[in-house]
Amino acid sequence: MPFFICPNCKNRSLDHDGKQGLLRQGVSCERCGFGFLFELLDDYYPGPNAGLIACDRAGRILAAGRGVFELTGFREHELMGKDVVEAFGLAGFDAERNPIALALEWGVRRLDEPIELRSRAGSVKAVTVDVFPGYDSDGGLLVSLSPRRANRSRA
Ligand SMILES: [Zn+2]
């Protein structure tokens, strides 16, 4: 049974009666009215500070949720259509272990990968990324970025 998550408010819903699948074009979040839900194979509980980004099968940004601005300083309209890795300056992974490329290529989840992003103001932030391939045939990805706790010895 597919699970749906709202990239904006992170509300999770179950497709109890198959209705959401049939009405996918017009489906919107019951809680905040956001006009886009992401379909997941497994249920997912994003952290309270997580920012969710939905991407197409080429890794281009389709939607960015509420938490993304707090974390990165980018507004959704500045991100639309951009490559998710480039838009956030994602780095800190080995070239062969880019979690986003792996998820796109192999259709596998990547959880709890420590990476870095570059905020709109240019500062580098340590984050954790979870990446989920889309459940439906359109492919695509859900990227969840969460702040990593600062290393105390560096504070
Ligand atoms: Zn919502």
Side-chain angles (χ1 to χ4, degrees), residues 19-44:
K19 236 195 238 166
Q20 290 185 323
L22 292 173
L23 300 172
R24 186 172 299 138
Q25 294 305 321
V27 88
S28 58
C29 177
E30 285 172 17
R31 190 158 82 183
C32 74
F34 197 68
F36 183 97
L37 294 179
F38 195 88
E39 194 173 358
L40 293 166
L41 187 53
D42 304 292
D43 204 357
Y44 172 53

Tab-separated table of all heavy atoms in Angstrom, residues 19-44:
chain	number	residue	atom	x	y	z
A	19	LYS	N	-8.094	5.863	-3.866
A	19	LYS	CA	-8.608	7.086	-4.476
A	19	LYS	C	-7.484	8.038	-4.867
A	19	LYS	O	-7.525	8.671	-5.910
A	19	LYS	CB	-9.515	7.802	-3.469
A	19	LYS	CG	-10.915	8.062	-3.988
A	19	LYS	CD	-11.586	9.072	-3.099
A	19	LYS	CE	-12.877	8.510	-2.521
A	19	LYS	NZ	-13.392	9.301	-1.411
A	20	GLN	N	-6.508	8.129	-3.992
A	20	GLN	CA	-5.461	9.113	-4.255
A	20	GLN	C	-4.681	8.759	-5.509
A	20	GLN	O	-4.267	9.625	-6.244
A	20	GLN	CB	-4.546	9.238	-3.038
A	20	GLN	CG	-5.272	9.919	-1.892
A	20	GLN	CD	-4.388	10.176	-0.699
A	20	GLN	OE1	-3.529	9.363	-0.383
A	20	GLN	NE2	-4.599	11.273	-0.025
A	21	GLY	N	-4.507	7.464	-5.740
A	21	GLY	CA	-3.823	7.050	-6.947
A	21	GLY	C	-4.598	7.437	-8.187
A	21	GLY	O	-4.033	7.904	-9.171
A	22	LEU	N	-5.920	7.253	-8.123
A	22	LEU	CA	-6.759	7.578	-9.277
A	22	LEU	C	-6.818	9.076	-9.525
A	22	LEU	O	-6.940	9.523	-10.648
A	22	LEU	CB	-8.189	7.064	-9.050
A	22	LEU	CG	-8.333	5.551	-9.025
A	22	LEU	CD1	-9.757	5.173	-8.614
A	22	LEU	CD2	-8.014	4.960	-10.392
A	23	LEU	N	-6.742	9.805	-8.445
A	23	LEU	CA	-6.907	11.256	-8.556
A	23	LEU	C	-5.569	11.974	-8.454
A	23	LEU	O	-5.508	13.106	-8.034
A	23	LEU	CB	-7.835	11.763	-7.438
A	23	LEU	CG	-9.242	11.185	-7.431
A	23	LEU	CD1	-9.978	11.608	-6.174
A	23	LEU	CD2	-10.006	11.633	-8.669
A	24	ARG	N	-4.518	11.288	-8.843
A	24	ARG	CA	-3.190	11.822	-8.573
A	24	ARG	C	-3.014	13.240	-9.120
A	24	ARG	O	-2.398	14.084	-8.499
A	24	ARG	CB	-2.119	10.909	-9.160
A	24	ARG	CG	-0.719	11.355	-8.773
A	24	ARG	CD	0.324	10.345	-9.191
A	24	ARG	NE	0.101	9.077	-8.561
A	24	ARG	CZ	0.225	7.903	-9.189
A	24	ARG	NH1	0.557	7.860	-10.446
A	24	ARG	NH2	0.012	6.777	-8.561
A	25	GLN	N	-3.562	13.511	-10.286
A	25	GLN	CA	-3.375	14.836	-10.886
A	25	GLN	C	-3.864	15.930	-9.963
A	25	GLN	O	-3.256	16.966	-9.847
A	25	GLN	CB	-4.128	14.916	-12.221
A	25	GLN	CG	-3.585	14.008	-13.307
A	25	GLN	CD	-2.115	14.219	-13.571
A	25	GLN	OE1	-1.639	15.352	-13.557
A	25	GLN	NE2	-1.369	13.142	-13.754
A	26	GLY	N	-5.007	15.654	-9.325
A	26	GLY	CA	-5.613	16.715	-8.525
A	26	GLY	C	-5.363	16.568	-7.043
A	26	GLY	O	-5.957	17.277	-6.250
A	27	VAL	N	-4.494	15.630	-6.666
A	27	VAL	CA	-4.358	15.344	-5.250
A	27	VAL	C	-3.594	16.468	-4.554
A	27	VAL	O	-2.625	17.004	-5.073
A	27	VAL	CB	-3.690	13.971	-5.043
A	27	VAL	CG1	-2.183	14.076	-5.002
A	27	VAL	CG2	-4.212	13.303	-3.803
A	28	SER	N	-4.109	16.878	-3.412
A	28	SER	CA	-3.398	17.896	-2.652
A	28	SER	C	-3.481	17.538	-1.177
A	28	SER	O	-4.262	16.701	-0.767
A	28	SER	CB	-3.974	19.283	-2.918
A	28	SER	OG	-5.333	19.309	-2.590
A	29	CYS	N	-2.641	18.203	-0.395
A	29	CYS	CA	-2.523	17.876	1.025
A	29	CYS	C	-3.806	18.236	1.766
A	29	CYS	O	-4.312	19.345	1.647
A	29	CYS	CB	-1.336	18.623	1.607
A	29	CYS	SG	-1.135	18.360	3.366
A	30	GLU	N	-4.294	17.278	2.565
A	30	GLU	CA	-5.517	17.526	3.335
A	30	GLU	C	-5.284	18.542	4.442
A	30	GLU	O	-6.205	19.187	4.901
A	30	GLU	CB	-6.013	16.216	3.967
A	30	GLU	CG	-6.656	15.289	2.969
A	30	GLU	CD	-6.963	13.925	3.586
A	30	GLU	OE1	-6.982	13.822	4.826
A	30	GLU	OE2	-7.159	12.974	2.816
A	31	ARG	N	-4.037	18.656	4.892
A	31	ARG	CA	-3.767	19.537	6.018
A	31	ARG	C	-3.445	20.964	5.591
A	31	ARG	O	-3.999	21.907	6.111
A	31	ARG	CB	-2.634	18.966	6.867
A	31	ARG	CG	-2.472	19.708	8.182
A	31	ARG	CD	-1.761	18.893	9.229
A	31	ARG	NE	-0.320	18.967	9.047
A	31	ARG	CZ	0.547	18.301	9.794
A	31	ARG	NH1	0.122	17.511	10.742
A	31	ARG	NH2	1.830	18.409	9.570
A	32	CYS	N	-2.510	21.116	4.617
A	32	CYS	CA	-2.081	22.481	4.284
A	32	CYS	C	-2.500	22.906	2.887
A	32	CYS	O	-2.275	24.042	2.498
A	32	CYS	CB	-0.562	22.617	4.452
A	32	CYS	SG	0.393	21.815	3.143
A	33	GLY	N	-3.059	21.981	2.108
A	33	GLY	CA	-3.535	22.356	0.788
A	33	GLY	C	-2.468	22.395	-0.291
A	33	GLY	O	-2.740	22.755	-1.435
A	34	PHE	N	-1.233	22.035	0.073
A	34	PHE	CA	-0.140	21.998	-0.907
A	34	PHE	C	-0.548	21.071	-2.057
A	34	PHE	O	-1.064	19.980	-1.825
A	34	PHE	CB	1.123	21.471	-0.207
A	34	PHE	CG	2.401	21.736	-0.944
A	34	PHE	CD1	2.888	23.022	-1.095
A	34	PHE	CD2	3.140	20.680	-1.462
A	34	PHE	CE1	4.089	23.261	-1.755
A	34	PHE	CE2	4.336	20.906	-2.123
A	34	PHE	CZ	4.809	22.205	-2.267
A	35	GLY	N	-0.314	21.496	-3.295
A	35	GLY	CA	-0.869	20.789	-4.443
A	35	GLY	C	-0.032	19.645	-4.973
A	35	GLY	O	-0.047	19.376	-6.174
A	36	PHE	N	0.680	18.967	-4.111
A	36	PHE	CA	1.591	17.935	-4.590
A	36	PHE	C	1.878	16.987	-3.434
A	36	PHE	O	2.284	17.422	-2.360
A	36	PHE	CB	2.893	18.620	-5.041
A	36	PHE	CG	3.928	17.702	-5.629
A	36	PHE	CD1	4.035	17.563	-7.008
A	36	PHE	CD2	4.799	16.983	-4.817
A	36	PHE	CE1	5.002	16.729	-7.557
A	36	PHE	CE2	5.760	16.143	-5.365
A	36	PHE	CZ	5.850	16.021	-6.742
A	37	LEU	N	1.624	15.716	-3.637
A	37	LEU	CA	2.000	14.724	-2.629
A	37	LEU	C	2.985	13.761	-3.252
A	37	LEU	O	2.877	13.425	-4.426
A	37	LEU	CB	0.778	13.945	-2.125
A	37	LEU	CG	-0.272	14.730	-1.341
A	37	LEU	CD1	-1.414	13.814	-0.934
A	37	LEU	CD2	0.330	15.393	-0.123
A	38	PHE	N	3.932	13.321	-2.463
A	38	PHE	CA	4.925	12.373	-2.957
A	38	PHE	C	4.548	10.976	-2.486
A	38	PHE	O	4.210	10.774	-1.320
A	38	PHE	CB	6.314	12.752	-2.442
A	38	PHE	CG	7.420	12.055	-3.183
A	38	PHE	CD1	7.957	12.612	-4.327
A	38	PHE	CD2	7.897	10.829	-2.745
A	38	PHE	CE1	8.963	11.965	-5.023
A	38	PHE	CE2	8.902	10.172	-3.441
A	38	PHE	CZ	9.436	10.745	-4.588
A	39	GLU	N	4.618	10.029	-3.406
A	39	GLU	CA	4.210	8.662	-3.115
A	39	GLU	C	5.438	7.830	-2.739
A	39	GLU	O	6.394	7.746	-3.500
A	39	GLU	CB	3.547	8.084	-4.364
A	39	GLU	CG	2.783	6.822	-4.138
A	39	GLU	CD	2.021	6.413	-5.396
A	39	GLU	OE1	2.070	7.144	-6.413
A	39	GLU	OE2	1.389	5.351	-5.354
A	40	LEU	N	5.376	7.211	-1.562
A	40	LEU	CA	6.490	6.421	-1.047
A	40	LEU	C	6.089	4.961	-0.917
A	40	LEU	O	4.938	4.647	-0.650
A	40	LEU	CB	6.883	6.895	0.353
A	40	LEU	CG	7.498	8.271	0.517
A	40	LEU	CD1	7.477	8.646	1.988
A	40	LEU	CD2	8.918	8.268	0.002
A	41	LEU	N	7.079	4.101	-1.066
A	41	LEU	CA	6.818	2.678	-0.882
A	41	LEU	C	6.702	2.322	0.600
A	41	LEU	O	5.913	1.486	0.990
A	41	LEU	CB	7.940	1.877	-1.536
A	41	LEU	CG	7.778	0.365	-1.589
A	41	LEU	CD1	6.450	-0.022	-2.211
A	41	LEU	CD2	8.927	-0.247	-2.363
A	42	ASP	N	7.502	2.975	1.411
A	42	ASP	CA	7.503	2.707	2.848
A	42	ASP	C	7.157	3.981	3.597
A	42	ASP	O	7.465	5.072	3.139
A	42	ASP	CB	8.889	2.243	3.325
A	42	ASP	CG	9.369	1.030	2.575
A	42	ASP	OD1	8.778	-0.030	2.756
A	42	ASP	OD2	10.321	1.172	1.780
A	43	ASP	N	6.540	3.805	4.741
A	43	ASP	CA	6.220	4.962	5.554
A	43	ASP	C	7.521	5.606	6.041
A	43	ASP	O	8.539	4.940	6.167
A	43	ASP	CB	5.359	4.527	6.747
A	43	ASP	CG	4.518	5.679	7.280
A	43	ASP	OD1	4.642	6.809	6.763
A	43	ASP	OD2	3.737	5.436	8.211
A	44	TYR	N	7.453	6.886	6.280
A	44	TYR	CA	8.652	7.637	6.659
A	44	TYR	C	8.246	8.722	7.633
A	44	TYR	O	7.266	9.420	7.415
A	44	TYR	CB	9.281	8.248	5.399
A	44	TYR	CG	10.418	9.209	5.653
A	44	TYR	CD1	11.497	8.843	6.441
A	44	TYR	CD2	10.413	10.483	5.092
A	44	TYR	CE1	12.545	9.727	6.669
A	44	TYR	CE2	11.453	11.363	5.312
A	44	TYR	CZ	12.520	10.980	6.101
A	44	TYR	OH	13.557	11.864	6.316
